Amino acid sequence: MSPNIVLVVAIGALFITGVYLLLERSLTRVLIGFILIGNGANLLFLVAGGRAGGPPIIGQTPVEDMSDPLPQAMVLTAIVITLALTAFILAMAYRSWQLHGHDEVQDDLEDRRIVRLAAKNAPTYNDTDSIEDSETIDEQAAEARDETGNGVA
């Protein structure tokens, strides 16, 4: 048995669109990306499960006509995991909206400074963010939008 080409294209489109949205900075788009990938995974489980058949109850359906219950159980599990992840990301987006007025994830410039200082102290590799670039990072940090409200924008 070969899978339906329309379902295979739909699975590919859901995964491609979901991954694209996961790479965005807005938590709302990340949420939609997770949901699309979850739906793509559910379709993938059902397509990979094979042909439809009768209920897998001995005595009601002949063994050769029974459907495989494992893909259906996997889809139920995937639905629960997607729901939990959706609730978590919604909570993060709501909290971000309360604190900052938007749900966009900001750059962590302080992390870049710490990495640069660690590279100065223990240069175990060829650092591309070395001393000659320190002024550029400090200029970028000064020009960056301060979303915490604790500094000059």
Side-chain angles (χ1 to χ4, degrees):
M1 183 193 120
S2 63
N4 188 350
I5 192 70
V6 174
L7 288 178
V8 173
V9 170
I11 291 168
L14 286 172
F15 272 102
I16 289 170
T17 309
V19 169
Y20 175 76
L21 288 174
L22 279 178
L23 299 175
E24 294 289 327
R25 293 176 104 23
S26 171
L27 286 176
T28 306
R29 291 183 182 183
V30 170
L31 172 67
I32 294 170
F34 275 123
I35 292 171
L36 288 177
I37 287 178
N39 289 335
N42 293 342
L43 271 178
L44 180 66
F45 283 138
L46 290 178
V47 168
R51 65 173 179 77
I57 300 172
I58 296 178
Q60 184 176 356
T61 308
V63 175
E64 60 274 358
D65 293 337
M66 286 185 186
S67 64
D68 187 12
L70 183 62
Q72 297 169 11
M74 301 264 303
V75 166
L76 278 174
T77 304
I79 288 171
V80 170
I81 291 170
T82 304
L83 180 68
L85 193 58
T86 300
F88 177 69
I89 294 176
L90 273 175
M92 284 193 335
Y94 179 69
R95 185 64 178 157
S96 176
W97 186 265
Q98 278 184 330
L99 293 176
H100 305 296
H102 58 82
D103 66 342
E104 192 173 302
V105 178
Q106 61 183 341
D107 285 335
D108 192 6
L109 297 172
E110 185 65 28
D111 187 40
R112 290 177 59 190
R113 288 185 185 143
I114 291 172
V115 168
R116 187 184 70 221
L117 289 174
K120 284 182 185 175
N121 293 337
T124 58
Y125 59 92
N126 189 8
D127 185 21
T128 59
D129 246 358
S130 60
I131 297 171
E132 57 270 359
D133 289 340
S134 65
E135 292 82 20
T136 355
I137 292 175
D138 291 335
E139 290 170 4
Q140 289 174 356
E143 293 173 2
R145 182 175 65 192
D146 186 13
E147 297 172 355
T148 59
N150 295 332
V152 178

